[in-house]
């Protein structure tokens, strides 16, 4: 999407489509996971994928959950603590979990992507991070040129951390900014100066990190279009390779600490759309490509190339350049996507530790996807990555006639078609530039699991 075609959105249209809906980092979404999925199901799927001709490469995710303080916008599974001794026993649990899973993999299955998230991975000391990185490499074979990244918190990241990460082979950094406005930062309990952030960016570049990404959130308390415009200018001065711009998921009924945010301090849906439009215009005018629903990348970045080559995909980490991988996730609450299954570890850190201590695995719930699930997942993810669908390609892969099989979904989309959000003919479905701002609403038409009453689980789409 170029800046020239970004639409001015009618406030009445915003109100019409302002509803809750999934973010679709998976399909089916997490509410469909159930405790009938067991460790035996997980082991069976690992064996099945091992036996495939040319089994998928591996993507590894490690959840490092510790933070010293709570950021009120956060919806992640986090353990707040000032006890700097916590990472050592937690690392031991990760080693045991790896020891239970890694031997089940067929020889030759290489890691092409590794990511550490949290929490705050840099809550761990530089020595602890170096140790964990070495132990992962001891258990898994990495492909040359593997993408190795992590999230860092500039408030917690020292020069020694940066040295340790570079020495361990990390080549990508992402860091949360959210907003540099002091009033916004005070309201969400995340005080992080521009100079502090700039230092980490500069140290990352000095150590040869290939890609540096920053995360922003719109919809936070006290945000406005003029105020956020100042943050956008500061972000551009950092010259990041990628920028993620997320819609604030305000769910105080489900996330207790968000109750500290007063609803009357949040921007209205029309103001949020103005903030989003300003951000899109600012970044695209500066030469960034608008990728998917919420990412921007320089044209030479691997994410932009992945979109050009049809390799862009979406999983629990958001947009990824590595479609076709089996995602093995380690740590409390971590979700794996292996073959045609999802599996999630126990969400409570103490229960997770007890389960790992007993049998090396902490699988709590999951899902085996049906053929229909896989078909609809492909449709939803392709729309969210590429904003068009070639009916013939889907029909060739599935043996089904698209307009007949998805007649109900197309019927649901007719009103959106009339509103200019989506268009289709006999060959292709396309999300328009206007519809791209409401892409979650559009793909919900293809979700076979959405039922009345289920929407309270999800954040608002606008």
């Amino acid at each position: 999407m170029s800046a020239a075609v970004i639409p001015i959105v009618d406030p009445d249209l915003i109100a019409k489509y302002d509803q809750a809906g999934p973010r679709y980092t998976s399909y089916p979404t997490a509410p469909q996971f159930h405790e009938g999925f067991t460790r035996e199901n997980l082991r069976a799927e690992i064996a099945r994928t091992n036996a495939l001709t040319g089994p998928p490469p591996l993507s590894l995710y490690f959840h490092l959950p510790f933070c010293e303080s709570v950021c009120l916008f956060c919806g992640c599974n986090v353990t707040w603590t000032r006890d700097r001794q916590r990472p050592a026993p937690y690392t031991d649990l990760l080693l045991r979990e790896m020891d239970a899973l890694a031997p089940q993999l067929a020889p030759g299955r290489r890691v092409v992507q590794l990511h550490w998230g949290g929490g705050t991975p840099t809550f761990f000391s530089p020595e602890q991070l170096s140790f964990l990185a070495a132990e992962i490499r001891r258990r898994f074979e990495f492909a040359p040129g593997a993408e190795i990244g992590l999230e860092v918190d500039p408030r917690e990241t020292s020069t020694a951390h940066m040295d340790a990460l570079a020495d361990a082979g990390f080549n990508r950094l992402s860091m949360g900014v959210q907003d540099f406005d002091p009033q916004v930062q005070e309201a969400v309990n995340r005080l992080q100066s521009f100079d502090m952030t700039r230092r980490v960016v500069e140290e990352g570049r000095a150590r040869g990190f290939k890609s540096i990404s920053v995360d922003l959130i719109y919809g936070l308390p006290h945000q406005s279009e003029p105020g956020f415009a100042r943050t956008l200018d500061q972000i551009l001065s950092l010259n990041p390779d990628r920028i993620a711009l997320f819609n604030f998921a305000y769910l105080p009924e489900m996330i207790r600490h968000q109750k500290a945010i007063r609803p009357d301090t949040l921007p209205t849906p029309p103001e949020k759309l103005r903030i989003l439009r300003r951000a899109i215009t600012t970044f695209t005018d500066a030469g960034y490509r608008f990728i998917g629903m919420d990412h921007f990348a320089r044209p030479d970045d691997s994410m932009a190339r992945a979109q050009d080559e049809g390799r862009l995909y979406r999983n629990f980490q958001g947009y990824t350049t590595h479609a076709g991988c089996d995602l093995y996730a380690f740590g409390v609450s971590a979700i794996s996507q292996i073959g045609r299954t999802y599996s999630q570890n126990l969400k409570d850190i103490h229960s997770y530790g007890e389960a790992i201590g007993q049998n090396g695995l902490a699988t709590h719930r999951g899902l085996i996807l049906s053929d229909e699930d896989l078909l609809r997942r492909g449709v939803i993810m392709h729309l969210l990555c590429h904003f068009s669908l070639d009916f013939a390609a889907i029909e060739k892969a599935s043996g089904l006639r698209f307009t007949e099989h998805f007649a109900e979904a197309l019927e649901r989309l007719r009103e959106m078609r009339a509103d200019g959000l989506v268009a289709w003919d006999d060959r292709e479905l396309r999300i328009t530039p206007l519809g791209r701002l409401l892409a979650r609403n559009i793909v919900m038409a293809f979700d076979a699991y959405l039922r009345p009453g289920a929407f309270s689980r999800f954040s608002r789409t606008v």
Side-chain angles (χ1 to χ4, degrees):
M1 183 189 291
S2 68
V5 297
I6 299 169
I8 300 291
V9 185
D10 183 344
D12 292 337
L13 193 67
I14 297 171
K16 181 177 181 178
Y17 291 104
D18 180 21
Q19 64 182 107
R23 290 179 181 263
Y24 292 109
T25 52
S26 72
Y27 180 83
T29 55
Q32 304 307 318
F33 298 179
H34 59 82
E35 296 181 21
F37 185 96
T38 66
R39 294 187 296 273
E40 287 67 35
N41 295 127
L42 174 61
R43 291 190 178 101
E45 189 64 6
I46 294 173
R48 189 189 70 82
T49 55
N50 280 338
L52 295 173
T53 301
L58 306 179
S59 175
L60 305 182
Y61 172 75
F62 287 79
H63 190 70
L64 309 184
F66 304 111
C67 286
E68 183 171 302
S69 61
V70 57
C71 298
L72 297 180
F73 58 80
C74 182
C76 300
N77 186 295
V78 173
T79 297
W80 300 297
T81 179
R82 294 186 177 182
D83 183 358
R84 298 289 167 161
Q85 304 304 311
R86 296 288 296 273
Y90 184 78
T91 298
D92 290 340
L93 296 174
L94 293 177
L95 302 187
R96 295 190 65 170
E97 189 176 5
M98 283 191 284
D99 286 339
L101 279 174
Q104 298 183 47
L105 293 166
R109 296 189 68 180
R110 290 181 165 186
V111 176
V112 297
Q113 185 180 47
L114 166 68
H115 186 73
W116 291 355
T120 302
T122 42
F123 183 94
F124 286 55
S125 70
E127 296 76 17
Q128 290 167 335
L129 295 180
S130 297
F131 174 77
L132 178 57
E135 291 298 305
I136 293 170
R137 286 186 177 274
R138 195 164 68 82
R139 290 163 172 81
F140 295 95
E141 180 183 354
F142 280 69
E147 180 181 296
I148 305 175
L150 83 162
E151 301 165 17
V152 301
D153 183 343
R155 302 172 303 169
E156 292 272 2
T157 304
S158 65
T159 298
H161 278 108
M162 298 298 290
D163 288 338
L165 293 169
D167 290 343
F170 282 83
N171 50 38
R172 295 185 179 274
L173 294 178
S174 66
M175 66 191 74
V177 170
Q178 325 319 338
D179 193 321
F180 282 125
D181 185 286
Q183 185 182 20
V184 176
Q185 290 190 354
E186 182 72 30
V188 297
N189 196 39
R190 171 86 178 208
L191 302 179
Q192 177 181 321
S193 71
F194 173 75
D195 289 340
M196 182 187 298
T197 307
R198 181 177 57 190
R199 174 188 63 80
V200 176
V201 171
E202 291 175 348
E203 290 191 352
R205 289 216 170 89
R207 286 157 181 77
F209 284 84
K210 293 180 181 178
S211 180
I212 296 177
S213 173
V214 298
D215 295 347
L216 302 174
I217 295 178
Y218 69 98
L220 294 175
H222 304 297
Q223 277 183 333
S224 65
E225 182 185 358
F228 201 63
R230 291 189 290 272
T231 288
L232 299 177
D233 290 340
Q234 290 174 295
I235 292 296
L236 288 180
S237 74
L238 298 174
N239 196 29
D241 300 280
R242 298 178 187 173
I243 302 162
L245 178 64
F246 299 120
N247 184 359
F248 175 40
Y250 182 57
L251 296 167
E253 298 82 8
M254 298 178 62
I255 304 171
R256 287 183 297 175
H257 57 261
Q258 288 189 355
K259 292 180 179 179
I261 296 176
R262 297 200 330 266
D264 63 334
T265 65
L266 300 175
T268 63
E271 181 70 4
K272 284 176 64 178
L273 262 294
R274 287 192 289 270
I275 292 170
L276 174 60
R277 188 176 187 277
R278 170 65 73 94
I280 295 170
T281 302
T282 299
F283 293 140
T284 55
D285 283 353
Y288 287 87
R289 287 263 301 273
F290 186 21
I291 307 253
M293 297 184 293
D294 48 27
H295 276 62
F296 301 82
R298 297 207 167 279
D300 59 348
D301 186 86
S302 61
M303 183 168 283
R305 295 198 302 271
Q307 187 177 54
D308 289 340
E309 297 166 6
R311 296 184 291 104
L312 187 68
Y313 194 64
R314 191 163 172 81
N315 63 16
F316 295 104
Q317 298 168 38
Y319 286 102
T320 175
T321 60
H322 289 80
C325 290
D326 277 346
L327 170 61
Y328 282 74
F330 299 86
V332 60
S333 77
I335 305 175
S336 297
Q337 180 177 324
I338 300 170
R340 57 192 304 155
T341 67
Y342 298 124
S343 54
Q344 183 172 27
N345 282 346
L346 287 157
K347 296 181 180 181
D348 174 74
I349 194 167
H350 298 293
S351 300
Y352 165 79
E354 290 176 357
I356 294 296
Q358 291 171 6
N359 52 56
L361 295 177
T363 306
H364 170 56
R365 61 180 192 150
L367 187 68
I368 300 174
L369 279 67
S370 67
D371 290 344
E372 182 68 15
D373 290 335
L374 293 172
L375 174 62
R376 289 178 180 266
R377 180 173 75 178
V379 167
I380 289 171
M381 297 307 174
H382 198 274
L383 278 173
L384 292 178
C385 291
H386 304 288
F387 301 102
S388 66
L389 281 175
D390 182 340
F391 295 165
I394 295 171
E395 290 170 352
K396 182 179 180 181
S398 66
L400 300 169
R401 185 165 177 80
F402 186 92
T403 54
E404 292 178 0
H405 190 78
F406 290 108
E408 183 179 350
L410 293 175
E411 185 61 34
R412 293 178 191 169
L413 289 173
R414 288 196 182 278
E415 190 169 1
M416 294 185 187
R417 186 187 202 179
D419 287 333
L421 305 182
V422 65
W424 69 86
D425 52 29
D426 293 337
R427 297 174 298 175
E428 183 185 47
L429 184 148
R430 300 176 304 281
I431 295 179
T432 68
L434 175 61
R436 189 166 175 177
L437 302 181
L438 297 164
R440 288 165 63 189
N441 298 74
I442 292 169
V443 299
M444 284 163 62
F446 294 94
D447 189 332
Y449 293 93
L450 284 181
R451 296 288 185 270
F455 293 88
S456 62
R457 299 170 178 260
F458 305 114
S459 61
R460 304 198 77 81
T461 59
V462 178

